[in-house]
DNA sequence: TTGTACGCGTTATCAG
DNA sequence: CTGATAACGCGTACAA
């Protein structure tokens, strides 16, 4: 690793001059000196030390990303959005998985701070009553007061900047769409008990159902993954009563539902309409109807906020979700209406 | 951000002593002094500066990860494996997407080096003849000679440490399995022309076909994503000739194939057997037959290699793949054999 | 067992 | 326009 001093020596100038040339400082440098420094840097393969720069400037061009599960496309898309936008400003993202565990989040948060991250993004929401939540909140609040930029992209019980898509509304509108198709027996599948963002989606679903004077059914709250959806629908089928329509807590769950239905001989949307929430890449190939949340864009907003040069960057509005109508939902048929059992 | 000196002052000791207490040095410190330093650190919320540590020790606890596409579960699993193992040794992973573009890889590689990463992992393979490949190789080779640990988890044309699963063999064995089921018209779907790892998989497929005295058919080389599989199989169906079995370049493609088949009224494995390569989480819910590559483990090996304390860590053997038989493959039926058209 | 002092690579201030 | 020099926060010889 060639250092600035080596470059300076080779170019026959001082380190100060070399620094001015190599970091795009506004300070004026004559063009011939500039050239000799640059050639020297090139021949030596000079790479500036981000560590030294961070030490000097009390701030490193690092954005920390705390995700629940990078294997979940929801978080992968957020991470990608953050990374793309961060790179545009010369920032780099440190990715940390925390498995929705406040203790792990606390550890990762600390490590990220040790690396002088300019900002830290929490991608997922918290789980009500999870042990360690209060301590995490304390740490975060302390960091925020100390000037670290912290952004939450989902509901969180600490005092960070928040850029949050309205989960209640997204789910409400999706459910309304299902009802507008004529379905009455609409079931909500999936989630993790206490996981705030998903509870909000369940709430939006319930509101739409109540308004239509229907009884909500929320089942299969065993996780956010494809298997959860598969297991939940398998249970429903085992009980003998397929609903007319299913709203899933996220796209992964919806794909799991589709997988079960298709491998079991059911058809969508003929036998049952299925929709997800998220709009992640995984649902597209199945023609999944979903409430698309602009996740890449959302991540980008967080990154831009953190990378912003201004001392008090304005908090961006969360992007608006949008209904993507696919081929897994259709109008209720008379046959479905006839076999109504609950609701 | 409280500094070591502030802690030392509060505890009434020298920075040297504080340092020795707070970084787990072997140097002896009396227990009462130790206590006072620790309480001082706690009350001040002391966080060591990774930047200063990195600067001092000429090495930061960072592992750089260069992936092609974090939305592809293949890379997401590798990234997760790296991250889990890295965290165990107090390392942190910087994730960089490079879209299989050598120019971008070069940029990311440089940035990672600026951050004094102890090591850098290339997750994907290279594309033959892609512009910038030679320059990337030059940079990497230079870095390797300068002592940076570079690991490639797929075939690469530079002099890094390599931990690579045998793609030819994995694909060969999978194809052999398909043949053992009695299928003769076996098609290989997907890939990116020149993408080394996938060319190897195609080669393994071809070898198995040749040995069985069958004519190989490689089609749909338009990408590694679900849509690629969907489009490829759609094209095949449009031509009117469904093969008996399909080997896909990866699991994503296989899922795309399944999606098309199921939404078009075909059944697996009754109408056609489908298998993937990778063993990523996405295929599991569909009961996809696949050659499972232990990706999380593979990533972990790379991380352990980089985090290893020894000066010359031994290069680990790549983990062995394993056939996972699901419900998307079955023995050939007489009906399929009768309608044989090519091969 | 504890403290002093230097330097890691950079940037910024101040002289020239 | 250029150069010398003082930090930034930490680890570690070396001295006590």
């Amino acid at each position: 690793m060639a250092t600035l001093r080596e470059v300076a020596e080779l170019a026959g100038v001082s380190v100060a001059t070399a620094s001015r040339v190599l970091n795009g400082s506004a300070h004026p440098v004559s063009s011939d000196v500039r050239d000799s420094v640059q050639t020297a840097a090139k021949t030596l393969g000079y790479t500036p030390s981000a560590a030294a720069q961070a030490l000097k400037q009390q701030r490193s061009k690092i954005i920390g990303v705390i995700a629940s599960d990078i294997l979940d496309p929801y978080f992968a898309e957020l991470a990608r959005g953050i990374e793309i936008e961060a790179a545009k400003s010369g920032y780099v993202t440190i990715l940390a998985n925390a498995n929705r565990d406040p203790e792990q989040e606390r550890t990762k948060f600390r490590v990220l701070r040790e690396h002088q991250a300019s900002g830290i993004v929490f991608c997922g929401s918290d789980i009500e009553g999870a042990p360690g939540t209060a301590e995490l909140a304390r740490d975060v609040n302390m960091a925020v007061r100390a000037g670290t930029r912290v952004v939450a992209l989902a509901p969180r019980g600490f005092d960070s900047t928040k850029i949050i898509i309205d989960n209640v509304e997204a789910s409400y509108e999706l459910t309304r769409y299902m009802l507008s198709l004529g379905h009455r027996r609409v079931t909500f599948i999936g989630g993790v008990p206490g996981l705030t963002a998903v509870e909000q989606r369940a709430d939006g679903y319930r509101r739409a159902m109540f308004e239509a004077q229907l009884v909500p059914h929320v089942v299969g709250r065993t996780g956010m993954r494809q298997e959860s959806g598969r297991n939940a629908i398998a249970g429903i089928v085992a009980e003998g009563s397929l609903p007319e329509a299913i709203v899933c807590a996220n796209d992964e769950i919806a794909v799991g539902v589709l997988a079960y239905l298709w491998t079991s001989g059911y058809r969508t949307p003929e036998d049952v309409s299925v929709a997800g929430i998220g709009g992640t890449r995984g649902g597209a190939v199945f023609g999944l109807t979903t409430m698309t949340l602009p996740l890449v864009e959302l991540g980008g907003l967080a990154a831009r906020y953190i990378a912003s040069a201004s001392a008090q960057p304005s908090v961006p509005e969360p992007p608006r979700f949008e209904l993507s109508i696919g081929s897994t939902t259709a109008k209720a048929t008379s046959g479905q209406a006839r076999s109504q059992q609950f609701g």
Side-chain angles (χ1 to χ4, degrees), chain A:
Chain A
M1 293 278 204
T3 75
L4 200 53
R5 196 168 65 189
E6 294 171 322
V7 174
E9 279 174 7
L10 179 58
V13 299
S14 71
V15 284
T17 304
S19 171
R20 293 194 264 251
V21 172
L22 264 23
N23 73 353
S25 138
H27 202 100
V29 177
S30 74
S31 58
D32 51 341
V33 169
R34 183 175 292 275
D35 286 350
S36 67
V37 169
Q38 266 158 352
T39 47
K42 180 146 286 179
T43 57
L44 259 47
Y46 169 71
T47 305
S49 158
Q53 291 178 326
L55 181 59
K56 187 65 196 168
Q57 312 177 147
Q58 305 286 59
R59 180 179 230 239
S60 86
K61 294 198 144 199
I62 289 176
I63 294 178
V65 179
I66 296 182
S68 308
D69 175 10
I70 194 64
L71 293 182
D72 182 336
Y74 184 88
F75 297 107
E77 293 206 4
L78 286 177
R80 184 157 176 71
I82 295 170
E83 205 258 347
I84 290 173
E85 207 57 47
K88 286 185 190 164
S89 317
Y91 279 68
V92 119
T93 62
I94 292 188
L95 181 67
N97 270 85
N99 305 311
R100 296 202 176 83
D101 174 4
E103 312 279 16
Q104 286 186 49
E105 289 181 328
R106 215 152 86 90
T107 305
K108 307 290 189 175
F109 186 75
R110 200 171 48 69
V111 172
L112 258 12
R113 295 205 69 214
E114 288 175 6
H115 282 269
Q116 319 278 106
S118 296
I120 295 169
V121 183
F122 283 87
C123 293
S125 71
D126 49 13
I127 296 179
E128 210 180 332
T133 305
E135 290 82 349
L136 174 64
R138 194 167 44 70
D139 288 2
V140 171
N141 292 342
M142 188 179 272
V144 168
R145 277 194 289 277
T148 302
R149 292 179 183 179
V150 180
V151 178
L153 298 181
R156 281 284 185 170
F158 45 65
D159 304 331
S160 71
T161 295
K162 297 199 171 117
I163 314 177
I164 305 179
I165 293 173
D166 188 337
N167 283 292
V168 178
E169 197 64 19
S171 181
Y172 172 77
E173 288 187 15
L174 178 60
T175 308
R176 292 267 297 170
Y177 169 71
M178 292 299 232
L179 295 172
S180 78
L181 292 174
H183 300 298
R184 288 296 168 265
R185 293 183 297 119
V186 182
T187 296
F188 184 95
I189 285 186
V192 174
L195 185 61
T196 314
V198 179
E199 295 293 1
Q200 293 179 346
R201 293 180 191 172
D203 285 346
Y205 156 80
R206 287 196 193 93
R207 199 177 96 206
M209 292 295 278
F210 284 137
E211 285 182 9
Q213 308 201 346
L214 295 169
V215 179
H217 285 259
V218 176
V219 304
R221 308 175 81 220
T222 61
M224 301 296 287
R225 289 158 49 165
Q226 295 182 344
E227 301 91 273
S228 315
R230 184 176 235 288
N231 295 340
I233 186 69
I236 291 174
V237 167
E239 289 177 0
S241 65
L242 202 61
E244 293 167 33
I246 297 173
V247 173
C248 298
N250 74 357
D251 285 357
E252 289 290 286
I253 293 168
V255 170
V257 167
L258 293 178
Y260 178 84
L261 290 173
W262 291 347
T263 55
S264 305
Y266 292 95
R267 304 294 309 263
T268 54
E270 292 82 355
D271 298 323
V272 55
S273 284
V274 177
I277 298 176
T280 52
R281 199 155 93 179
V285 76
F286 299 102
L288 179 68
T289 291
T290 187
M291 191 56 84
T292 297
L293 314 177
L295 300 171
V296 173
E297 183 188 343
L298 182 60
L301 288 177
R304 258 214 300 280
Y305 173 82
I306 290 172
S308 164
S310 95
Q312 288 288 322
S314 63
V315 179
E317 283 298 304
R320 175 82 188 160
F321 45 83
E322 187 179 2
L323 180 63
S324 305
I325 298 176
S327 52
T328 58
T329 49
K331 287 201 173 172
T333 62
S334 52
Q336 285 182 331
R338 201 172 51 237
S339 69
Q340 190 161 340
Q341 295 183 3
F342 59 88

